[in-house]
Amino acid sequence: MRRSRGALAPYLMILPAGLWLAIFFAVPLITMLSLSLQEGNLIDGFRQTLHWQNYTEGLATYGDKFVRSLWYGLLATGLCIAVAYPVAYWIAFHAGDRKGLYLFLLLVPFFVSFVLRTVSWKFVLADNGIVLGTLKGWGLLPDGFHVLQTWYAVVFGLAYNFLPFMVLPIYVALERVDHRLVEAAQDLYAGRVQAFFRVVLPLSLPGVFAGVIMTFVPISADYVNAAILGGPDNTMIGNVIQTEYFNNSNYPTASALSFTLMAILLVGIFLYARVLGTRDVLEAAGR
């Protein structure tokens, strides 16, 4: 009897989490999958017809939006890495006893709504706003210069909003690096640059790997930044899905587009893991 209870104990411990995932993840996902294969409208109702054309027609109609979303995601993720790595490196190796303070300051913007933070950038980057208006008044920029409703406004907005998701995993990986390894490399006549590329960078790759996944996936599916900072030529697939769901009430097409995006992201993450080599990354972290 005790053995049977002991064998059931691990399953009983994960039961609450399993029920939570089943109710709030698996059931909605299955429901949306079923809806993506239906036909109909909001007035007459929707019926299950296994209408696979929702996927093919959605991909054919909005293929350019998928490409643009992935491209913006790659650019914003690369920008996040370029900014986040030096910040995480400095906090991990040079912040001393104030690491907690700097990490708190990094997370302070998260106390403000995601939408409000994006809208604030719209006011800052307005043609006659605080930044551009001042520079135009000083004659440093032409009067016709503008940033809003451009692709780089959307990319910079995405990078700004998701930057902490890149900094924190990289910081955690760098914090685990034994400083004695760097000192040993320097004792073996390695310069600072060589010690960084031979010791610090390989050991921090798990953090970079996690940061890329945590930023690229939500960035590619985002629609707030493109709607607020971009224009008609900067529409991402998230904007299309939002419009189909809430404005057109075209639930089957919106569900099909959502599953198509999810499939593309899963394939992209799988290929990313295969190319980078998660086993090599973990082995580098364990050395």
Side-chain angles (χ1 to χ4, degrees):
M1 190 68 176
R2 290 183 178 180
R3 289 184 177 180
S4 61
R5 289 181 178 178
L8 291 175
Y11 299 99
L12 293 176
M13 292 178 65
I14 66 172
L15 181 62
L19 291 175
W20 178 274
L21 290 175
I23 296 173
F24 295 104
F25 180 76
V27 173
L29 201 64
I30 294 173
T31 302
M32 192 170 70
L33 177 61
S34 173
L35 186 57
S36 69
L37 298 173
Q38 296 180 15
E39 289 183 282
N41 54 64
L42 193 61
I43 298 176
D44 301 327
F46 300 95
R47 62 186 185 279
Q48 182 57 259
T49 59
L50 296 179
H51 191 67
W52 293 97
Q53 287 79 358
N54 288 332
Y55 287 88
T56 57
E57 292 174 359
L59 190 59
T61 304
Y62 302 109
D64 59 327
K65 306 298 188 299
F66 282 105
V67 174
R68 182 181 295 129
S69 298
L70 297 176
W71 177 237
Y72 285 2
L74 289 173
L75 291 176
T77 302
L79 184 59
C80 283
I81 295 176
V83 176
Y85 199 100
V87 172
Y89 182 89
W90 186 87
I91 294 176
F93 285 89
H94 301 287
D97 297 333
R98 297 185 177 180
K99 293 179 181 179
L101 174 62
Y102 293 124
L103 290 175
F104 172 76
L105 293 176
L106 184 69
L107 295 175
V108 163
F110 273 70
F111 290 90
V112 182
S113 169
F114 179 88
V115 176
L116 290 179
R117 281 185 281 127
T118 307
V119 171
S120 67
W121 272 107
K122 183 176 181 179
F123 286 103
V124 172
L125 300 177
D127 292 347
N128 296 316
I130 300 174
V131 178
L132 298 185
T134 303
L135 295 176
K136 289 178 181 179
W138 291 347
L140 299 177
L141 290 176
D143 293 336
F145 182 83
H146 70 280
V147 175
L148 292 178
Q149 297 189 350
T150 60
W151 66 267
Y152 44 88
V154 177
V155 170
F156 277 96
L158 290 168
Y160 161 75
N161 279 303
F162 291 94
L163 181 63
F165 290 103
M166 183 67 74
V167 174
L168 293 179
I170 296 177
Y171 166 77
V172 172
L174 289 171
E175 182 68 15
R176 295 176 56 188
V177 175
D178 192 342
H179 291 209
R180 292 175 298 180
L181 296 176
V182 180
E183 295 175 358
Q186 294 176 348
D187 290 340
L188 294 174
Y189 304 103
R192 290 185 177 182
V193 175
Q194 191 174 10
F196 171 79
F197 283 104
R198 292 293 184 89
V199 178
V200 178
L201 182 60
L203 293 177
S204 65
L205 283 181
V208 177
F209 180 85
V212 168
I213 294 178
M214 292 177 63
T215 53
F216 177 73
V217 172
I219 282 176
S220 300
D222 182 75
Y223 63 91
V224 175
N225 286 271
I228 296 176
L229 302 178
D233 296 332
N234 311 119
T235 302
M236 299 174 65
I237 191 61
N239 303 102
V240 176
I241 295 173
Q242 182 207 24
T243 301
E244 293 291 343
Y245 262 120
F246 298 106
N247 296 348
N248 301 336
S249 299
N250 190 357
Y251 303 141
T253 299
S255 301
L257 291 174
S258 300
F259 265 94
T260 302
L261 177 62
M262 183 173 64
I264 292 174
L265 292 176
L266 286 175
V267 171
I269 292 173
F270 175 77
L271 294 177
Y272 167 70
R274 293 283 293 181
V275 171
L276 184 61
T278 52
R279 180 177 299 178
D280 296 336
V281 168
L282 296 177
E283 288 179 355
R287 290 174 185 172

